[in-house]
Amino acid sequence: MAFEPEAGSGVAEREDWPYAPAVGVGPLRFGMTVDEVVEAVGVLDRTKVSDCVRDHAIFPPTWRVEVHRRGATSSPPAATAYASRTVGLFCVAVDAVRGPRVAYDGIPLVGRDLSELESDAIACVESMGVHLRYTPEGYAGPDDPGVVMRGQSVGQVLRSRPMFMVTRDGAHTEWDSMPSAECGVSGRPIA
C-alpha cells in the first residue's frame, strides 16, 4: 500500500522513518537522553529543547524536543520528542503534514485521512488474522501498545498524527504516559 499525498492536501514531501516496537522510530531510540535525541536528529533537522509543564507530581520533569525541517522558518515541528529526565526518550509525536513517513506492517500511518487509514487497517487485520485497536477518540490503528493514533486538522480533513511510545516512569499504560502537551483537541498540542 503506497500512500501518496493528494494534490492540495497540505501533506509535504517527507523522508521515511522505520518503526520498531519498544525500540524506537527513525533515528530515535527509546531511552535516549535529550542530548542523544538532539544529536540523532540534529544532523537531519534543527531542534528546539524546552521544559514541559509538569502537571502530574508522579512524573519527573520532562523535556520537549521539537524537530523542525531544515530550512523551514517559523513552521510547526515535523516531530516532537518527549524525554523524561530519569528514563530518557519515551514518546515521539509525528506531525501529519510535516512529519516523516512511518509505516506499520506496510500501512502508512502519517498524514492519512483517518477514514482511509481505518479501511486499510481493517483490511490488513482481516487478511492477517490479527487485531485492530481504537483509541478512546475513535481512531483506528495497529493493536500495538506503542502506537497511539491521534487526529490533526489539515484544512477540512482530519489526518492521522501517530505517537510512538513506551510506558514512561511511574505510568502503567501508554495512555498514562501521554505527555500533557499532546492531550489537546484534534491532535493540536495544548502547550
Side-chain angles (χ1 to χ4, degrees):
M1 280 174 225
F3 166 66
E4 293 299 325
E6 301 167 13
S9 70
V11 179
E13 288 296 318
R14 49 182 107 198
E15 62 278 357
D16 291 314
W17 277 13
Y19 166 65
V23 175
V25 60
L28 304 174
R29 298 293 168 255
F30 298 120
M32 285 178 144
T33 66
V34 169
D35 290 340
E36 291 170 331
V37 169
V38 170
E39 185 178 327
V41 296
V43 206
L44 308 169
D45 300 299
R46 37 184 200 90
T47 57
K48 176 185 172 189
V49 179
S50 59
D51 288 319
C52 286
V53 174
R54 188 171 178 189
D55 60 345
H56 298 293
I58 189 172
F59 298 131
T62 301
W63 283 294
R64 174 184 175 139
V65 182
E66 294 180 351
V67 179
H68 296 267
R69 290 186 172 280
R70 195 173 297 288
T73 58
S74 303
S75 68
T80 304
Y82 296 91
S84 160
R85 294 188 185 187
T86 56
V87 297
L89 180 67
F90 67 91
C91 178
V92 178
V94 179
D95 186 81
V97 177
R98 291 162 193 82
R101 289 182 298 221
V102 183
Y104 185 92
D105 279 340
I107 300 173
L109 297 179
V110 182
R112 303 281 308 276
D113 177 291
L114 283 165
S115 62
E116 291 173 7
L117 176 57
E118 179 180 36
S119 295
D120 286 349
I122 289 170
C124 179
V125 300
E126 286 176 349
S127 70
M128 297 173 61
V130 295
H131 299 283
L132 180 68
R133 182 168 89 154
Y134 284 88
T135 67
E137 296 141 330
Y139 307 136
D143 187 25
D144 177 335
V147 180
V148 175
M149 295 308 300
R150 303 293 302 217
Q152 177 180 330
S153 295
V154 178
Q156 298 295 317
V157 179
L158 199 57
R159 299 248 176 223
S160 57
R161 182 177 186 273
M163 294 173 53
F164 302 92
M165 56 198 318
V166 293
T167 304
R168 71 186 292 183
D169 45 334
H172 299 290
T173 69
E174 70 275 7
W175 295 104
D176 299 330
S177 301
M178 190 178 298
S180 59
E182 295 295 331
C183 295
V185 179
S186 297
R188 294 177 190 259
I190 58 174

